[in-house]
Amino acid sequence: RLYKERLSQVDAKLQEVIAGKAPEYLEPLAALQENMQIRTKVAGIYRELCLESVKNKYECEIQASRQHCESEKLLLYDTVQSELEEKIRRLEEDRHSIDITSELWNDELQSRKKRKDPFSPDKKKPVFSLTSPRPYIVYMLQDLDILEDWTTIRKAMATLGPHRVKPEPPVKLEKHLHSARSEEGRLYYDGEWYGRGQTICIDKKDECPTSAIITTINHDEVWFKRPDGSKSKLYISQLQKGKYSIKHNHN
């Protein structure tokens, strides 16, 4: 009888567990559900933080790409401007060393086209004057031949006898408004030295000054990092021309 009573108790407890009403089953189940809710909430918060971090990195990359593009555009503009100024300077030198006009060249070229057959040219003979005290000869040269000879003489005089040629006006060279150079991984700018890891203040015309930290100093460029994490570079030639200015930030 004792066996049967214990067996009936175990069967009744088993039925409660199967029905989900036993306290021994409900208490651990409630603890597991609470733990599941907490972990699900934490995972959701972590997911939002990861998405925000990826979004910020994307925006930083876009901003850095735009700033790099602007810097490259400025460098390309300076390069093209320098090349054009060099071409203008050479043209000025040629204009001062060769004193000819395009109209004479064009007129002579057109007159040559209107000539007769080259195999039967109209050769002009020397002219002799009998009225003068003694005979003289005048050779009728073409204007283009005279211009070619004159050009050759001017070039020879400019090469062999520069003191005989009229001095050319000095060519205006682009002056550097500020002193800036790179030496052994450091930047010298207007009497002050700047090194890697220092905080600087970058100023540009018509823009608000920005704070940044120097990360790398190369031969012709300086890389810096902004407070938002974006990186950009500044060319030393831009500092020399005054397009940008920097100073130590002691804040």
Side-chain angles (χ1 to χ4, degrees), residues 108-134:
E108 184 59 28
L109 289 175
Q110 292 178 0
S111 62
R112 281 196 172 187
K113 292 180 179 179
K114 296 179 180 179
R115 287 181 179 177
K116 298 180 180 180
D117 188 4
F119 294 99
S120 60
D122 185 11
K123 297 183 180 180
K124 296 183 178 180
K125 299 180 180 180
V127 178
F128 297 89
S129 177
L130 300 177
T131 58
S132 59
R134 55 182 179 178

Side-chain angles (χ1 to χ4, degrees), residues 56-178:
N56 292 335
K57 289 183 179 179
Y58 170 76
E59 292 178 354
C60 290
E61 290 293 335
I62 293 296
Q63 185 177 3
S65 299
R66 290 176 180 174
Q67 293 176 353
H68 179 72
C69 179
E70 292 296 329
S71 300
E72 293 295 333
K73 285 172 62 178
L74 290 175
L75 179 61
L76 179 61
Y77 174 80
D78 294 339
T79 303
V80 173
Q81 183 181 9
S82 300
E83 292 179 355
L84 292 177
E85 290 178 353
E86 180 65 20
K87 290 182 179 179
I88 292 173
R89 185 183 65 82
R90 292 180 180 177
L91 290 175
E92 289 291 334
E93 291 179 354
D94 293 340
R95 185 175 70 86
H96 289 289
S97 61
I98 304 174
D99 189 10
I100 60 176
T101 58
S102 60
E103 296 180 356
L104 293 176
W105 283 96
N106 295 332
D107 294 341
E108 184 59 28
L109 289 175
Q110 292 178 0
S111 62
R112 281 196 172 187
K113 292 180 179 179
K114 296 179 180 179
R115 287 181 179 177
K116 298 180 180 180
D117 188 4
F119 294 99
S120 60
D122 185 11
K123 297 183 180 180
K124 296 183 178 180
K125 299 180 180 180
V127 178
F128 297 89
S129 177
L130 300 177
T131 58
S132 59
R134 55 182 179 178
Y136 67 94
I137 300 175
V138 179
Y139 290 96
M140 304 299 292
L141 295 176
Q142 299 294 331
D143 293 339
L144 187 58
D145 297 333
I146 298 174
L147 291 175
E148 290 178 352
D149 295 340
W150 177 244
T151 302
T152 304
I153 294 172
R154 290 296 300 270
K155 286 185 176 181
M157 291 176 63
T159 304
L160 301 177
H163 57 281
R164 299 180 181 178
V165 184
K166 183 179 179 181
E168 300 179 0
V171 180
K172 295 183 179 180
L173 301 177
E174 186 175 4
K175 297 181 179 179
H176 292 162
L177 302 178
H178 299 272

Side-chain angles (χ1 to χ4, degrees), residues 11-54:
D11 291 337
K13 182 63 67 176
L14 180 60
Q15 293 300 325
E16 289 181 357
V17 172
I18 294 174
K21 297 180 180 180
E24 294 84 354
Y25 172 73
L26 294 178
E27 292 178 0
L29 180 61
L32 288 174
Q33 290 179 350
E34 183 180 1
N35 189 16
M36 180 189 68
Q37 292 177 358
I38 293 174
R39 295 184 64 180
T40 302
K41 185 177 180 180
V42 171
I45 295 173
Y46 180 72
R47 175 178 175 274
E48 294 296 330
L49 290 176
C50 290
L51 290 176
E52 187 70 20
S53 177
V54 171

